[in-house]
Amino acid sequence: MIADLLLAAAIAAVATGSVLARRAFTAVALFIAYGLLLSLAWVRLAAPDVAMTEAAIGAGLSGVLLLGAVRRLGPHADAPANLPPGLLLTALIGIGCAGVAAALGAAILWLPEPAPTLAPQVAAALPTTGLGNAVTGVLMSFRGLDTLLEAAVVVLAVIAVWSLAPDGGWGSAPGARQPVVGRGPLSLLARMLPPIGIVVAAHILWVGADAPGGKFQAAAILAAMWLLPWLAGLATPPRIAAPWLRMAVVAGPVLFIVVGLAGAAVEGAFLAYPPGWAKPLIKSIEVVLTASIAVALALLVMGPPEPDAPR
Amino acid sequence: MQATGWGALPMLAVMLPVLAMVVALPLGARRAERLTLAMLPAGLALAIGTAVAVQVGGAPVVHLLGHWSPPLGLAFRADGLAAAMLLTAAVVIGAVAIFARADFGTKAGQPERREAFAFWPLLLAVWSAINLAVVANDLFTLYVALELLTFAAMPLVCLDGSRTTMEAALRYLMFALLGSVLYLLGVALIYGACGTLDITLLARMAPDQPAVILAIVLMTVGLLAKTALLPLHLWLPPAHAGAPAAASAVLSALVIKGSFVLLLRLWFGVMAGQPMPGAAQILAGLGAAAILLGSVAALREARLKLLVAYSTVAQIGYLFLMFPLLASVAADSQVAAMAWSGGAVQAVSHAFAKAAMFLAAGIMAARFGHDRIVELGGAGRAMPVTLLTFGLAGLSLMGVPPSGGFAAKWLLLSAAIGAGQWWWALVVLGGGLLTGGYVYRVLASGLRAGEGAPDPAPIAWQRDGVALGLAVISVVLGFLPLAAFGLVQVGRLGVLP
């Protein structure tokens, strides 16, 4: 109980600090800490799947994206900032935010106890899928459509980021070229960590059917394993015009949709798995989807292709 | 909820564009363009099929994903409103795709260009997202639909890569993400209170807990930001005016309608059991303010594309006049049916008229090299078809009979009188006059003999043709007997069969 209170207080403190921080880098560092503390909170709430996703995506990947944004903002740090709002406006904003926060707090306390839940229905229907992890059952079967569409959103995000490419570099490698880091911790990590990371990711993916874990967490780790050598200048990313790269980004979502349409053709409903085929089909989709999401996440971190600017 | 026959039609209307959008990435710009064009007839056929199935069956068409029924699983439910929106989206996307070939096409042997690479999958993404937003019946699936819609629409705004459009796109993104956050908060609260997110089940539950009311308030504000109802419209004019013409047409005609349909599902689906007449009056008040202020801004605007964008701000206002009319009378009354049809026909006819108007404005801006309204003299001689398109679309927006806009405004007017809320009828009439004013400004300037007018050129019949076609549809909607709008009544939640 004391530990939970401390954790909650720490989360609130880090969140407040992130909002109040004057320097962008401080705000991002606190945001990453916030994500990690939040994943601890999910562990305390007995939601290990959510905790892993929060740590991998919420703290890890979002943190890297934000740090990249801070670095790009660096040269423009002395750009004229917006005028601070006047006293009256500040007061109104404060009152508005306080009102929303109070209403949300009250609404949470008003929620029925015990909370209405679909968990018994999930547990009753889970055996027909052959899966042991209820979360995977929800994500890949009962609400498989949402997961499929989210995977399509990831592809859309890659297209959207590439559409922001400055003129002159279309088709070349994504992101700015990284200087080679000869020695030091980054270089060492970039050489040592990937083999271990890939094994860990494969494990997380594989146990996801029956234990906490799954594709988004595994994909985030895989993406990090690709980003490390890139950041250390040891590997150059492929050109975005490369057909295999583009195929890799979409292979998972395409397989997912094709399986869904096949379900409509054979079983009469989109994403209906034939009896006995649910688990093997779900595992196959997850393996390919993990690879696709990993490639997409890494590409999102690298950013759009840039013409080689003199540096 | 039971699956019905023909449920595969709306399912395919959503999934085929998603598949095409994903596949477009490895195909590259040139083949993505062809794939999009090949998808157009299939999408139109699926939309027509859905509409026929809904109309003939007199009941919504339902598809249960993976055979799991809600609350455990997810359902697609195409009611009459959804069928009408599927049809609208298929026609508008088709016209825009044909129109856009001149700007975003890739000739054989030409290397891939950034804009062409991005445009076609983004167009397909908008299509699938709007289809999903009207047929999905689960509040979280609808959240994903909103995300798809936002992340497809935002890059379309800044496709030209200029600094101003980047700023407009960023501002749009901020408003849209604020809307997403508020919507998602509401989804979490509703699940916590009710244990399901299926709209039909929620409507049957008639939830009245404070948490649900708060959720609906948060979600409404979020969706208003995405629909750009005044005072949350500030992002719209620079974004819709700055985008390439083809993109503007899609943004104004379709993208803002996705969040609007979702608002209808919340207010007259989830909350059908407890109408909120007071809050509905506020929404319509904002709508009336949008009509007046948006029209006045359009009257004073010097640039053509910004004028059309402010016209969108005003026309969005009409969509919200239906809220107090529906909230104050019994759901199965004649007045409620008229108000519902009026709102739906307004959404559809505005989509066609505004798409036509943006395409016509784009053609004019491309020929003149600028879009300053006072310098459009000679347009009538150099490009008569384009000016005719603008005029026809303007007639529909004004609500001059016979046109789709007239049918919509007549239905809203009659419903306002029937509900005893005559003040909204005054707003409808006043808005029509102001619309006439700004449309007249453009036509008068275009019909003047002008100095800098371009020489008459052979009409690019494809571009002029599709723009004119959309304008004609927006007018012809008014010739349909009012009974044809019975389609949008099918499966209205809150009206128990």
Side-chain angles (χ1 to χ4, degrees):
Chain A
M1 183 67 194
I2 304 276
D4 286 348
L5 279 177
L6 280 176
L7 182 59
I11 292 173
V14 174
T16 315
S18 176
V19 174
L20 292 181
R22 287 281 161 197
R23 291 181 52 231
F25 181 81
T26 320
V28 173
L30 287 169
F31 176 81
I32 295 173
Y34 164 76
L36 292 173
L37 289 174
L38 208 55
S39 69
L40 283 182
W42 287 117
V43 172
R44 290 292 302 150
L45 290 168
D49 287 273
V50 187
M52 288 171 76
T53 313
E54 178 64 46
I57 307 280
L61 189 80
S62 309
V64 174
L65 280 171
L66 288 170
L67 285 175
V70 169
R71 202 189 53 178
R72 279 163 186 265
L73 283 174
H76 309 288
D78 46 353
N82 288 340
L83 287 177
L87 200 60
L88 181 66
L89 192 58
T90 312
L92 284 177
I93 293 172
I95 292 170
C97 290
V100 172
L104 278 177
I108 300 280
L109 293 178
W110 272 325
L111 285 181
E113 195 75 39
T117 174
L118 294 173
Q121 291 196 45
V122 172
L126 196 60
T128 61
T129 65
L131 299 166
N133 181 1
V135 175
T136 306
V138 171
L139 290 182
M140 295 303 291
S141 186
F142 312 135
R143 299 186 69 101
L145 175 74
D146 287 347
T147 310
L148 183 155
L149 292 167
E150 290 289 5
V153 172
V154 174
V155 175
L156 182 60
V158 173
I159 295 169
V161 166
W162 286 1
S163 85
L164 299 174
D167 282 333
W170 186 250
S172 60
R177 184 170 299 153
Q178 301 295 320
V180 180
V181 183
R183 22 182 97 238
L186 179 61
S187 175
L188 186 69
L189 277 180
R191 287 171 209 271
M192 301 289 292
L193 212 49
I196 306 170
I198 290 169
V199 172
V200 171
H203 174 76
I204 288 181
L205 171 65
W206 187 251
V207 301
D210 299 310
K215 56 206 161 308
F216 275 99
Q217 300 93 321
I221 296 175
L222 278 181
M225 293 309 113
W226 190 19
L227 288 169
L228 268 177
W230 171 65
L231 280 171
L234 298 175
T236 47
R239 294 161 42 78
I240 66 158
W244 71 264
L245 181 72
R246 292 185 176 190
M247 299 281 244
V249 174
V250 304
V254 167
L255 177 66
F256 207 163
I257 298 172
V258 167
V259 169
L261 290 174
V266 177
E267 292 288 309
F270 188 76
L271 277 180
Y273 305 110
W277 281 81
K279 192 171 176 184
L281 280 175
I282 288 174
K283 282 317 305 183
S284 318
I285 294 171
E286 283 201 311
V287 169
V288 184
L289 201 53
T290 303
S292 287
I293 295 174
V295 175
L297 293 182
L299 288 172
L300 290 178
V301 172
M302 290 171 190
E306 293 175 21
D308 273 332
R311 20 176 82 250
Chain B
M1 198 182 330
Q2 296 288 319
T4 65
W6 306 108
L9 295 176
M11 181 276 287
L12 288 173
V14 173
M15 294 318 304
L16 288 187
V18 175
L19 182 60
M21 181 268 281
V22 171
V23 170
L25 176 66
L27 285 184
R30 182 169 152 78
R31 275 173 292 179
E33 175 192 348
R34 292 178 166 189
L35 176 67
T36 310
L37 295 174
M39 278 291 303
L40 301 177
L44 186 61
L46 288 169
I48 293 174
T50 308
V52 169
V54 171
Q55 179 79 58
V56 171
V61 171
V62 175
H63 186 80
L64 299 180
L65 283 308
H67 288 309
W68 300 110
S69 49
L72 182 61
L74 305 169
F76 281 163
R77 177 179 180 276
D79 56 6
L81 178 65
M85 293 306 295
L86 287 179
L87 266 175
T88 309
V91 174
V92 171
I93 294 278
V96 166
I98 294 168
F99 180 91
R101 292 191 72 193
D103 297 321
F104 300 103
T106 310
K107 294 199 176 60
Q110 208 182 349
E112 183 180 83
R113 290 178 304 139
R114 177 186 60 85
E115 305 92 307
F117 160 82
F119 179 79
W120 301 103
L122 292 175
L123 187 68
L124 289 164
V126 168
W127 194 6
S128 53
I130 190 80
N131 287 357
L132 180 65
V134 297
V135 302
N137 207 41
D138 181 277
L139 292 178
F140 185 78
T141 309
L142 285 163
Y143 168 76
V144 184
L146 290 176
E147 291 296 88
L148 261 175
L149 209 50
T150 301
F151 291 130
M154 181 273 205
L156 279 175
V157 170
C158 57
L159 216 46
D160 72 353
S162 74
R163 193 193 163 91
T164 32
T165 57
M166 289 270 184
E167 278 181 18
L170 205 56
R171 191 197 286 201
Y172 171 36
L173 188 67
M174 293 299 166
F175 273 88
L177 287 186
L178 175 74
S180 296
V181 169
L182 292 175
Y183 180 85
L184 196 57
L185 263 176
V187 171
L189 282 176
I190 289 183
Y191 183 75
C194 304
T196 178
L197 292 173
D198 183 81
I199 292 176
T200 317
L201 291 179
L202 286 168
R204 215 168 288 158
M205 242 179 235
D208 59 351
Q209 299 97 310
V212 176
I213 306 284
L214 177 68
I216 296 292
V217 171
L218 292 172
M219 294 161 99
T220 301
V221 175
L223 293 171
L224 291 184
K226 285 178 182 280
T227 314
L229 178 66
L230 189 121
L232 297 173
H233 69 290
L234 294 172
W235 60 267
L236 188 146
H240 285 197
S248 305
V250 172
L251 294 171
S252 254
L254 300 178
V255 171
I256 49 172
K257 307 285 162 53
S259 41
F260 170 71
V261 170
L262 187 39
L263 268 174
L264 291 182
R265 305 269 190 238
L266 289 182
W267 278 63
F268 306 109
V270 175
M271 302 304 280
Q274 44 266 303
M276 300 178 276
Q281 290 284 340
I282 295 176
L283 279 189
L286 294 175
I291 294 172
L292 299 178
L293 297 177
S295 302
V296 169
L299 268 174
R300 299 161 51 109
E301 185 50 58
R303 308 293 287 259
L304 181 59
K305 287 190 78 181
L306 271 168
L307 177 144
V308 183
Y310 275 112
S311 157
T312 298
V313 172
Q315 293 289 322
I316 289 167
Y318 285 102
L319 295 173
F320 288 88
L321 297 183
M322 68 195 282
F323 281 72
L325 309 178
L326 276 163
S328 61
V329 296
D332 50 0
S333 65
Q334 183 73 25
V335 172
M338 274 197 293
W340 180 268
S341 288
V345 176
Q346 166 70 13
V348 169
S349 71
H350 171 255
F352 289 117
K354 191 49 61 72
M357 218 175 216
F358 259 122
L359 295 186
I363 296 173
M364 284 194 249
R367 280 294 298 283
F368 278 88
H370 68 81
D371 72 340
R372 291 181 293 276
I373 296 166
V374 285
E375 295 171 35
L376 288 181
R381 184 174 294 269
M383 40 180 96
V385 180
T386 315
L387 208 60
L388 175 68
T389 302
F390 196 96
L392 280 180
L395 285 185
S396 184
L397 291 185
M398 275 183 248
V400 173
S403 69
F406 168 72
K409 276 137 209 171
W410 177 252
L411 285 164
L412 287 171
L413 202 90
S414 315
I417 308 278
Q421 302 181 16
W422 50 268
W423 49 92
W424 303 125
L426 292 183
V427 173
V428 171
L429 293 173
L433 287 177
L434 288 169
T435 313
Y438 62 74
V439 172
Y440 171 78
R441 268 189 69 209
V442 176
L443 294 182
S445 176
L447 289 172
R448 256 199 341 264
E451 298 258 317
D455 294 330
I459 293 165
W461 66 267
Q462 264 194 341
R463 283 160 75 85
D464 268 322
V466 291
L468 183 63
L470 289 172
V472 167
I473 293 175
S474 80
V475 170
V476 168
L477 278 175
F479 287 103
L480 294 176
L482 290 185
F485 301 135
L487 172 68
V488 300
Q489 298 290 338
V490 176
R492 248 175 74 201
L493 286 169
V495 186
L496 293 176

